[in-house]
Amino acid sequence: MILDRQCIVVECGNKFKGGPRAYYCPACRVIRARNLGAKRRERERKGDVRKLGSIDNCERCKEPYTVIAGLQRFCPDCKPIHTAEYDRNTSIVFYHDNKDRINPPRKIKRRKRPNTCAWCGKEFEPVNGSTTCSDDCKRLDRNRYMREYNKRK
């Protein structure tokens, strides 16, 4: 959900539009990428970089796996489990921070609204998606429908 966000860089603090995991404004994102590139090159010089195709251990189950991406931390079996847990945790935090804005429309949708009976026009509280207020009205409405159906046939 694209919303107004605030850059987490203390000196910056600019407002920008971004998704739920957007922490930096576009200008700070460019600076951050440049700094990360320099740090990566420094790690490469020292030999602290995992090569693609090398073997590493999963952070979750401690089993060895083949590295297929630079930021990979989990084996293919644990990755969907970790992603679901992470999304669940960040979603619940977002919900608690914004529930005053989220809940009123949800309450309106959940509220039972009276229906008008298809046969007699009386208002009633629907049960299981019914369109009539009673069994008698249901029978009479069905009879009317069948009469119209047979006429068309």
Side-chain angles (χ1 to χ4, degrees), residues 115-127 130-138 141:
N115 278 2
T116 303
C117 179
W119 177 253
C120 67
K122 185 173 87 175
E123 284 198 354
F124 70 100
E125 289 293 324
V127 178
S130 62
T131 59
T132 55
C133 62
S134 65
D135 289 338
D136 291 336
C137 286
K138 182 177 182 178
D141 190 44

Side-chain angles (χ1 to χ4, degrees), residues 45-138:
R45 280 188 220 108
K46 290 180 181 178
D48 294 340
V49 178
R50 300 182 307 167
K51 300 287 183 194
L52 296 183
S54 65
I55 303 296
D56 201 359
N57 291 329
C58 175
E59 288 183 18
R60 186 175 178 79
C61 67
K62 309 299 183 213
E63 294 293 319
Y65 67 91
T66 304
V67 177
I68 58 174
L71 296 176
Q72 183 179 3
R73 297 167 43 204
F74 304 99
C75 66
D77 296 333
C78 294
K79 183 178 186 251
I81 298 167
H82 171 75
T83 302
E85 286 175 351
Y86 182 82
D87 285 347
R88 192 177 313 114
N89 292 337
T90 55
S91 295
I92 198 69
V93 169
F94 178 82
Y95 170 74
H96 285 299
D97 291 344
N98 296 287
K99 64 183 169 185
D100 296 336
R101 182 176 55 84
I102 294 171
N103 281 339
R106 289 174 70 197
K107 286 180 183 174
I108 291 170
K109 286 181 189 175
R110 290 179 179 174
R111 185 174 50 216
K112 289 186 177 180
R113 293 184 275 298
N115 278 2
T116 303
C117 179
W119 177 253
C120 67
K122 185 173 87 175
E123 284 198 354
F124 70 100
E125 289 293 324
V127 178
N128 295 334
S130 62
T131 59
T132 55
C133 62
S134 65
D135 289 338
D136 291 336
C137 286
K138 182 177 182 178

